[in-house]
Each structure stands twice: as structure tokens, then as C-alpha cells.
Amino acid sequence: MTAFRIFDSVADLIAGAERAIVQLVEKGTRSIALSGGLTPKPLYQSLGRNASIRQANITWVIVDERFVPIDDPQSNAGMIQQTLFASGMPPSHRFLRFHTELDDPAATARKFEREWQELAIDRLDLVLLGMGDDGHTASLFPGTPVLAVENRIASEVFVPRMNSWRVTLTKPVLRAAKMRFVLAEGAAKRPVIERVRSGSDDPIAQVTHLTETWWFVDREAVDSSEGSS
Ligand code: 6PG
């Protein structure tokens, strides 16, 4: 159920993830959730130029959002618009994002849930996840109450270590997806990957434990003696 794919470089990791996503889309994957952060930017740029992806019928869903306007450099939706949709969103695609312009985190999460119902998304086909050095994934940070939310699609959460609000898909929604890809690169991620592999309860472990999850990591993020893809 868990597969680790180790790549010699970040460029190889991104190319490997792109190939795997295109294969899933060619086999019928239609709903794909997208994380923010730095790691997936080159992947979204490539997917935005990929003919198989552009021709497919895809609903993209944002995994989480920092509570800033879409034109703020911190905005995940803004990053996705500038990468995946740099040459425009194809007419066969839809994009469900958090409307931070409502200026109210709780109302933003509720609006997202209404739009999710309108799009009739029952269960996501694929979720692309990242992971922080502290073991967070999406905006599920260690010790925050959102980790205990079981009856929502999305929720607002105040993150003390960032001193800011976030909005995020909830743990049960991330766990219910048919497939999860976790992208992690760099030596800073190595301790948390080691913890997860030895059974920790970091948020990324809570989201992936006993689910179908493929990890795409570079050699720096794991013990350098492990074999590569
Ligand atoms: C965000 C995220 C978050 C991210 C990790 C890893 O909005 O920040 O969606 O969960 O995936 O923090 O980020 P990096 O790819 O920048 O390491």
C-alpha cells in the first residue's frame, strides 16, 4: 500500500511524478487535489504544458490555503494559477479554491464545502501532498484542533507557529482519496521521513497510515545508501 520511489535529483523526482499523474489520468483519474509550497511548482508548470492533461476532463481542488488574497505571493491558488494555468485553464477543467476574499476563514471553509457539493465530488481520485519539517501536511499542523475534525470536508484553523489562519481539506477527506502522492525533497525532510517510516503520529503519518500512498523523494531526503528509481 505504501511505495517509496527515490530519485537521484529533484528534476527526476518531478519528471517521475508527472509520468505517474499522466498515467493515472489516462486511466480515468478525474479529480486531483493540489498542495501549495515550493516543491510542486515545477511539476505544476510541466502539467500545465502537458497535452494529455490539457485534453482531459479534470477537476482540480486546492488542498489548503494561507489566508491571504489570491494576488499575495503566499497564496497557493495564485501559485497554481501562475504555473498549472499559466497559459489559461482548459475549458474541460474546473478549479475549486478557497475564496479568501470573503475575509472570514470560517465562511471561506463553508463556501468551499458548498462548491464541493455542487461539483458532486464524492471522493478525490488523487491528492498531491507536501510535508513540512515539523511533520505537517496540507494545513494540518501538529497540535492543532483541526486534526480531530472528522465531520467536515474543509475547515479553518489558526496555526500558532505561523500566527495566522489557514483553510484546509480535513484529514478524513485526504485519507478517503483513492491515491496519495507525497513529494518531499532535501535533507531537512529526512528526520520526519524516518519518523514516519518507524510509525510516528506526525500529521503526514495520520493522513497516510494504512492508505494507498506513493512517496516521491530525492536521495537527500532519505538515507543515501537506499537505491533509486
Ligand atoms: C502549504 C502546504 C503545505 C506544504 C508543505 C511543504 O500551503 O504550505 O500545502 O502543506 O505542502 O509545507 O512545503 P514545501 O514544498 O515548500 O516544502
Side-chain angles (χ1 to χ4, degrees):
M1 280 175 122
T2 297
F4 257 86
R5 300 193 56 193
I6 302 166
F7 297 88
D8 284 332
S9 68
V10 177
D12 288 353
L13 182 166
I14 297 299
E18 182 180 3
R19 275 195 305 276
I21 293 166
V22 169
Q23 278 167 12
L24 286 179
V25 167
E26 287 172 349
K27 287 190 200 146
T29 281
R30 292 292 170 262
S31 54
I32 303 178
L34 302 166
S35 283
L38 298 176
T39 312
K41 281 176 82 169
L43 173 63
Y44 298 166
Q45 274 159 349
S46 300
L47 289 173
R49 293 190 292 257
N50 187 292
S52 301
I53 296 291
R54 290 190 69 83
Q55 283 157 20
N57 188 331
I58 300 180
T59 299
W60 305 98
V61 175
I62 198 157
V63 165
D64 70 327
E65 186 59 280
R66 297 101 184 262
F67 214 78
V68 293
I70 195 165
D71 57 2
D72 187 291
Q74 288 291 314
S75 167
N76 286 338
M79 180 274 279
I80 290 165
Q81 283 188 335
Q82 287 158 27
T83 53
L84 185 61
F85 304 132
S87 38
M89 185 169 76
S92 57
H93 291 203
R94 288 152 300 282
F95 179 40
L96 174 56
R97 69 174 178 91
F98 287 103
H99 292 273
T100 53
E101 60 274 21
L102 293 177
D103 210 20
D104 174 339
T108 300
R110 284 196 300 273
K111 181 174 171 62
F112 182 96
E113 291 182 310
R114 284 196 301 276
E115 293 187 353
W116 170 284
Q117 310 286 2
E118 283 160 20
L119 289 167
I121 305 168
D122 172 33
R123 178 186 178 201
L124 292 164
D125 291 323
L126 172 65
V127 180
L128 305 181
L129 292 168
M131 185 185 70
D133 313 351
D134 60 355
H136 83 262
T137 191
S139 282
L140 307 176
F141 285 80
T144 55
V146 69
L147 279 164
V149 172
E150 292 289 338
N151 59 352
R152 302 279 309 268
I153 304 293
S155 175
E156 69 283 7
V157 56
F158 185 76
V159 183
R161 65 164 281 206
M162 308 274 176
N163 192 28
S164 60
W165 285 91
R166 299 267 191 123
V167 272
T168 186
L169 286 176
T170 58
K171 184 171 69 180
V173 169
L174 299 174
R175 286 188 57 82
K178 292 181 192 152
M179 169 68 98
R180 280 142 293 280
F181 286 0
V182 182
L183 272 55
E185 54 104 351
K189 305 276 167 84
R190 194 185 293 187
V192 65
I193 291 177
E194 280 171 10
R195 285 206 304 278
V196 172
R197 293 173 99 180
S198 53
S200 76
D201 70 346
D202 287 277
I204 182 65
Q206 294 186 37
V207 165
T208 55
H209 184 58
L210 297 180
T211 64
E212 184 78 26
T213 301
W214 293 3
W215 289 73
F216 293 77
V217 302
D218 73 339
R219 191 174 290 288
E220 296 278 302
V222 291
D223 188 313
S224 48
S225 61
E226 291 190 47
S228 62
S229 260

